[in-house]
Amino acid sequence: MVVLIVMIVTIGRISREKYRTERVQSRLPETGADPRAYDEIRQLKERIAVLERVITDQHGRSDLERQIEELRDR
């Protein structure tokens, strides 16, 4: 009787861990991600870098306006 209870508990724990593993794996991104997404992320990172440079630089107003226009042209 004790052996049967231990087996049931063990099978239950194994099933629960298998279910958790499947849930975690389903949330992971697939390896064949869309290349357009990577391109868009790269462009956004470039724009953020320009914006950070615009904010932190101590140049004149004309330089700031030129950089803003460059961002609009993209």
Side-chain angles (χ1 to χ4, degrees), residues 18 67 72:
K18 183 178 178 183
Q67 290 181 1
R72 285 186 185 151

Side-chain angles (χ1 to χ4, degrees), residues 30-63:
E30 294 184 22
T31 57
D34 188 8
R36 291 177 293 170
Y38 287 118
D39 186 46
E40 185 176 357
I41 291 170
R42 183 189 51 78
Q43 290 175 354
L44 289 172
K45 286 181 178 183
E46 289 174 3
R47 292 186 75 169
I48 290 171
V50 170
L51 290 172
E52 288 174 344
R53 214 174 32 243
V54 167
I55 291 171
T56 57
D57 284 349
Q58 300 298 324
H59 298 289
R61 181 175 171 87
S62 62
D63 188 41

Side-chain angles (χ1 to χ4, degrees), residues 7-44:
M7 284 179 49
I8 291 172
V9 170
T10 303
I11 291 172
R13 286 184 180 177
I14 291 172
S15 298
R16 182 175 52 193
E17 289 301 317
K18 183 178 178 183
Y19 176 72
R20 280 187 193 165
T21 303
E22 289 173 357
R23 278 190 8 209
V24 169
Q25 287 178 349
S26 68
R27 286 190 238 155
L28 295 176
E30 294 184 22
T31 57
D34 188 8
R36 291 177 293 170
Y38 287 118
D39 186 46
E40 185 176 357
I41 291 170
R42 183 189 51 78
Q43 290 175 354
L44 289 172

